Amino acid sequence: RYAQDDSVGRVVDIPYASGASMYVKGKVFRKVGLCNPDFFMYHDDMELCLKAKLAGYRVVLAPKSVMRHKYEFKRSIMQIYYMERNRRVTMLEFYKFPTLVLLAPAFFAMEFCVLFGAILGGYAKSKLRSWGYFFHLSSWRKIIAERRKIQELRSIPDRKLMENFSGKI
């Protein structure tokens, strides 16, 4: 929606940038740190951009830039596991507790629908395995430790963090 709406080619704010094509100033890394190594695959770019936003930086699209990235979307067991796990970890680490409570009904409804789709699509085992990560105390220790660091960066409310989010892909 951003590039199409912007007929004059201005830089516009976006929810997060793709890791395949992003430019990050060194001062941002010095302030927010590098990507969480547990996010080595899927949502690492979102995690970095959300940390930058919480610290008060903008994440923008430069519509005149050109990037080519060869990528084939093929559903694999590991891809689904990491996408699902990292999406949930991101929510737990970034959002304040009142936001998590507010999102909970929609989140669980969506989880049920995605599980139904996973059953039909033949990848339910991987989807359920991603939930298994949250049944380990060591996982919660990591999430809580990372959450503390992330929340210390906070200079904006959740509403501002999510203002450019969209329900469309």
Side-chain angles (χ1 to χ4, degrees), residues 131-143:
W131 272 102
Y133 176 81
F134 299 94
F135 290 100
H136 300 281
L137 186 57
S138 61
S139 299
W140 283 102
R141 285 187 183 125
K142 283 182 183 181
I143 291 168

Side-chain angles (χ1 to χ4, degrees), residues 36-164:
N36 179 340
D38 289 340
F39 282 63
F40 76 95
M41 187 184 333
Y42 301 108
H43 300 315
D44 51 332
D45 44 10
M46 179 172 63
E47 187 257 354
L48 178 63
C49 291
L50 291 178
K51 285 194 296 192
K53 284 179 137 182
L54 277 183
Y57 295 103
R58 290 175 65 199
V59 177
V60 298
L61 171 70
K64 291 185 179 180
S65 64
V66 176
M67 170 63 183
R68 289 179 174 59
H69 174 55
K70 185 176 181 180
Y71 176 78
E72 288 185 36
F73 181 79
K74 292 183 180 177
R75 209 170 256 138
S76 74
I77 292 170
M78 293 311 291
Q79 178 188 32
I80 291 165
Y81 171 81
Y82 285 113
M83 287 177 75
E84 291 293 306
R85 182 199 76 172
N86 293 353
R87 178 176 54 83
R88 290 186 214 105
V89 170
T90 299
M91 291 178 66
L92 292 169
E93 291 179 350
F94 281 88
Y95 299 147
K96 289 184 172 188
F97 291 116
T99 303
L100 291 170
V101 170
L102 182 67
L103 293 175
F107 171 79
F108 286 110
M110 183 184 77
E111 282 295 308
F112 177 77
C113 292
V114 172
L115 178 59
F116 184 71
I119 292 167
L120 294 177
Y123 57 94
K125 186 176 179 180
S126 185
K127 168 81 172 145
L128 292 172
R129 190 170 153 252
S130 72
W131 272 102
Y133 176 81
F134 299 94
F135 290 100
H136 300 281
L137 186 57
S138 61
S139 299
W140 283 102
R141 285 187 183 125
K142 283 182 183 181
I143 291 168
I144 291 166
E146 195 64 26
R147 178 181 173 80
R148 284 188 183 122
K149 289 192 295 186
I150 288 169
Q151 294 304 317
E152 286 177 10
L153 295 170
R154 186 176 286 279
S155 67
I156 61 170
D158 283 351
R159 182 178 303 247
K160 181 80 173 161
L161 182 66
M162 296 186 282
E163 75 181 355
N164 298 111

